[in-house]
Amino acid sequence: MNKKILIAPSILAGDFVNMERSVRLLSEWGADLVHCDVMDGVYVPNITFGMPMIRAIKKITTLPLDVHLMITKPERYVEEFADAGADIITFHPEASKNPIETISLIKAKGKKAGIVINAKVPIEPYLYLLDYIDMILIMSVNAGYGGQKFIPDSLDKVKIAKKYIDENKLNVDIQIDGGITEDNVALAKESGANVIVAGSAVYKANNPKKTIENLRK
Ligand code: DX5
Ligand code: ZN
């Protein structure tokens, strides 16, 4: 099944002094989702923002909030992120005590749930989780920072996920995140990704609207 291509710019590359403008521009530019990178300084070395930011952003956009939790023990916070306004919540399964239970907590809030496979994490042990989720995010950089270089090997994991999804006739989106540009996006889509995260490529573009169009086509 070929799914619709969705573009999810990461606000990590936006202007933290004027986040309202950075978020509002995304609708003008034709983005589909707002990708929010939550980092806790434990699962990854970097710290970004938490629930208050999600709550604030929810008030100023009608675009769905795609919240990528790079935090340890995500089960502690998924309900709070759902209440804050997250529409999709993804977490790293190796950081969770019981991924199935974490997925259930998200689903019980009526939100879409997903898992994230970090660059150094193998996908095979987590394929069984595809039966329970709405989206799988394959990292194409090591989670932690924006503006890193795309790791081509990550495409193999996209293909493995796509094969499992097709063979089992599941309705699961495949998202790719990290170092995506207008030059490598075709490879990601050919491999099976249909939700495209792009931080630097969108926010640092001369013509972000055009860039989003190019990422989509
Ligand atoms: C990295 C984040 C990404 C990042 C993407 O840990 O999950 O979402 O912000 O930024 P770019 O597109 O600049 O690699
Ligand atoms: Zn992300």
Side-chain angles (χ1 to χ4, degrees):
M1 185 171 46
N2 277 331
K3 303 199 82 175
K4 205 177 157 213
I5 302 289
L6 300 175
I7 309 300
S10 167
I11 56 167
L12 195 55
D15 178 0
F16 275 56
V17 174
N18 197 342
M19 198 43 90
E20 177 169 2
R21 180 164 184 270
S22 292
V23 172
R24 286 194 195 277
L25 281 170
L26 294 182
S27 307
E28 239 174 76
W29 294 339
D32 300 290
L33 304 167
V34 182
H35 186 79
C36 307
D37 287 305
V38 175
M39 305 187 191
D40 69 350
V42 181
Y43 177 74
V44 286
N46 197 9
I47 299 179
T48 55
F49 49 77
M51 291 78 82
M53 180 67 122
I54 303 303
R55 208 171 295 119
I57 292 173
K58 189 68 182 177
K59 290 191 190 130
I60 57 151
T61 186
T62 53
L63 293 177
L65 304 189
D66 167 33
V67 177
H68 173 191
L69 297 181
M70 283 158 274
I71 67 174
T72 192
K73 300 200 188 103
E75 54 275 10
R76 294 176 298 161
Y77 292 111
V78 286
E79 289 168 300
E80 280 185 63
F81 276 102
D83 292 340
D87 296 281
I88 309 169
I89 300 176
T90 61
F91 65 94
H92 291 253
E94 81 280 18
S96 173
K97 259 206 209 122
N98 185 338
I100 297 263
E101 223 170 270
T102 305
I103 292 164
S104 305
L105 289 172
I106 300 169
K107 296 284 222 178
K109 286 281 183 184
K111 309 296 180 179
K112 289 190 173 176
I115 58 158
V116 191
I117 306 298
N118 208 344
K120 292 203 172 100
V121 173
I123 188 169
E124 288 80 5
Y126 301 107
L127 281 175
Y128 76 100
L129 291 170
L130 281 163
D131 298 5
Y132 305 92
I133 57 178
D134 303 287
M135 182 161 81
I136 181 165
L137 165 47
I138 308 292
M139 292 302 303
S140 39
V141 298
N142 288 303
Y145 299 93
Q148 302 182 71
K149 205 171 164 289
F150 178 75
I151 302 171
D153 284 356
S154 59
L155 295 174
D156 294 339
K157 291 188 212 172
V158 173
K159 289 177 195 155
I160 292 170
K162 172 80 173 141
K163 185 161 176 274
Y164 185 97
I165 289 165
D166 287 348
E167 280 175 3
N168 294 282
K169 300 190 172 54
L170 301 172
N171 180 19
V172 178
D173 287 305
I174 303 179
Q175 184 173 45
I176 189 148
D177 180 7
I180 294 289
T181 64
E182 290 177 56
D183 297 326
N184 59 26
V185 71
L187 292 172
K189 288 192 279 194
E190 279 159 24
S191 303
N194 71 298
V195 185
I196 311 297
V197 177
S200 319
V202 169
Y203 278 106
K204 294 193 176 26
N206 289 326
N207 184 344
K209 192 166 190 230
K210 187 84 198 140
T211 297
I212 288 180
E213 272 168 32
N214 290 341
L215 289 171
R216 194 190 302 284
K217 72 184 179 204

